[in-house]
Amino acid sequence: MHLLDNEITVAFLRYATILIVKMMLMSSITAFFRMRKKAFVNPEDTTSFGKGENAKKYLRTDPDVERIRRIHLNDLENIFPFIFAGFFYSMSGVNLSTALLHYRIFLGSRIFHTIAYLIPLPQPSRALAWMAGYLVTFSMIYRVIMMAFVTS
Amino acid sequence: MHLLDNEITVAFLRYATILIVKMMLMSSITAFFRMRKKAFVNPEDTTSFGKGENAKKYLRTDPDVERIRRIHLNDLENIFPFIFAGFFYSMSGVNLSTALLHYRIFLGSRIFHTIAYLIPLPQPSRALAWMAGYLVTFSMIYRVIMMAFVTS
Amino acid sequence: MHLLDNEITVAFLRYATILIVKMMLMSSITAFFRMRKKAFVNPEDTTSFGKGENAKKYLRTDPDVERIRRIHLNDLENIFPFIFAGFFYSMSGVNLSTALLHYRIFLGSRIFHTIAYLIPLPQPSRALAWMAGYLVTFSMIYRVIMMAFVTS
């Protein structure tokens, strides 16, 4: 049986690819904001803006760039566990509608987390968005653990 | 043949889920210490502690919070390669007891690494804990490479 | 059918293991440069160099160490999406030579990115190296999305 004959694994793949694309876009947004805010971390990145002391002033941290980098790191910390858990969860014998509910809440939570972080919305918006995705991942992990520890 | 008909892949899944849960807990511990130490990075996170200058003083780095964040990042850098290597290693035709030895040493090394980092224990405790997991991962990667480069 | 009966998945495995090894080496290089430059972040790491104020002076950031850490983080941000996309891409019905082209460009782009970051080469060397790997990953994701959204 092929891995992708399982319709839940295919559903997982849909949500997972959207999440990976969303996470990868953070790289481009960071690069865009570094250019726009002229805030770089490597000396070789500033040479097109001038020589010597003139270029040095662009070696600085900018609050908006740092904010986007925190979103990116938060994505890494949360989306990687989702990919792991969601993949094996799709093989755990769960029914499709329950699986879709998990995948959709997670995707929604990460999109809302990014919006809440970027604007930024007043807390606890971002905290609750993060928490929703965190709990959904644990719910999937619980089922994977049940499967992995009981089936043998 | 289903992916989880392989008892070594199921064994991998057990250790991998524990490691993912351990890594995810670092997020909660970071949040807990940020609250307890009142050390935040986003202005919107401090508004419940006061207005204006009163809130601004909580925008600071705290050594304990930074320490936990370093453990989290170290987990990401090490557990992600383990998940990759351990998954394909489980299909490499290795025998179960050798595989379990690898998975157990890795899990033990990461738990001891976290304890050594948190307390902190004098060096080289943390360095050796990290090294054990690092070498075990390379041992698994070696077998995966043998399989991937020789079987075709 | 076994996962590794697919010759494209085996090819993926070859490039992916090389990339994981390359990423893991960044940990060792960081540790090596921390020792050589005597630039540490944890107080317990400096005790072998002296006591009290004498040890404290080694708690500092060093530009070369930070540069290597940025390469490591950039690897995490880019190689993890490659592993995800490249794995499922290998099952997408793509032909072997197209898949190999993608895997090879990605591997080349990451090796050149690291060289350009380490020396450092003048920009846009590093930016173009990063961009090549980024676009190749999107090309694979595009095919995975086509497969995941159309096959059901």
Side-chain angles (χ1 to χ4, degrees), chain C residues 47-63:
Chain C
T47 49
S48 60
F49 301 110
K51 294 276 176 203
E53 289 307 311
N54 211 24
K56 242 179 193 168
K57 70 179 176 209
Y58 300 122
L59 292 177
R60 56 193 183 85
T61 57
D62 173 86

Side-chain angles (χ1 to χ4, degrees), chain A residues 13-134:
Chain A
L13 204 46
R14 275 181 221 140
Y15 291 90
T17 45
I18 296 170
L19 284 158
I20 293 281
V21 167
K22 177 250 171 288
M23 184 170 79
M24 288 180 70
L25 288 181
M26 301 316 295
S27 298
S28 296
I29 298 173
T30 302
F32 174 76
F33 268 78
R34 282 202 184 283
M35 301 293 257
R36 187 175 146 186
K37 297 303 219 57
K38 292 199 172 60
F40 299 93
V41 68
N42 297 298
E44 68 269 25
D45 300 352
T46 63
T47 48
S48 59
F49 300 110
K51 294 275 175 203
E53 289 308 310
N54 210 26
K56 242 180 192 168
K57 69 180 177 208
Y58 300 122
L59 291 177
R60 56 194 183 85
T61 57
D62 173 85
D64 291 342
V65 171
E66 296 307 307
R67 185 172 282 271
I68 294 159
R69 293 183 63 221
R70 287 196 295 275
I71 301 176
H72 198 171
L73 185 58
N74 197 280
D75 274 351
L76 262 178
E77 291 170 357
N78 288 279
I79 292 177
F80 167 47
F82 169 83
I83 300 281
F84 169 83
F87 177 64
F88 289 105
Y89 174 71
S90 78
M91 301 168 188
S92 70
V94 69
N95 66 62
L96 180 61
S97 61
T98 308
L100 285 177
L101 188 69
H102 280 76
Y103 297 155
R104 282 171 185 161
I105 293 174
F106 188 86
L107 175 61
S109 90
R110 294 313 301 175
I111 289 172
F112 187 69
H113 178 269
T114 300
I115 294 168
Y117 218 147
L118 272 179
I119 295 185
L121 295 178
Q123 285 283 31
S125 313
R126 194 185 86 233
L128 291 177
W130 172 80
M131 182 65 80
Y134 194 68

Side-chain angles (χ1 to χ4, degrees), chain B residues 1 67 70 77 80-81 84 87-88 91 117 120 123 126 130 134 137-138 141 144-145 147-149 152, chain C residues 1 3-4 10 13-14 16-17 20-21 23-25 27-28 41-45 72 76 80 83 87:
Chain B
M1 197 179 100
R67 184 172 283 272
R70 286 195 295 275
E77 291 169 357
F80 167 47
F84 169 82
F87 176 64
F88 289 105
M91 302 169 189
Y117 218 148
Q123 284 284 33
R126 193 185 86 235
W130 171 81
Y134 194 70
T137 306
F138 269 116
I141 285 174
V144 172
I145 283 175
M147 167 177 68
F149 283 83
S152 63
Chain C
M1 196 180 100
L3 201 64
L4 300 176
V10 174
L13 205 46
R14 275 182 221 140
T17 46
I20 292 281
V21 167
M23 183 171 79
M24 288 179 71
L25 288 180
S27 297
S28 297
V41 68
N42 297 297
E44 68 269 25
D45 300 352
H72 199 171
L76 262 178
F80 167 47
I83 300 280
F87 177 64

Side-chain angles (χ1 to χ4, degrees), chain A residues 67 70 123 126 134 148 152, chain B residues 14 24 28 42 44-45:
Chain A
R67 185 172 282 271
R70 287 196 295 275
Q123 285 283 31
R126 194 185 86 233
Y134 194 68
S152 63
Chain B
R14 276 182 220 139
M24 288 180 72
S28 296
N42 297 298
E44 68 269 24
D45 300 352

Side-chain angles (χ1 to χ4, degrees), chain C residues 106-123:
Chain C
F106 189 86
L107 176 62
S109 89
R110 295 312 300 174
I111 289 173
F112 187 69
H113 178 269
T114 301
I115 293 168
Y117 218 147
L118 272 178
I119 295 184
L121 296 177
Q123 285 283 32

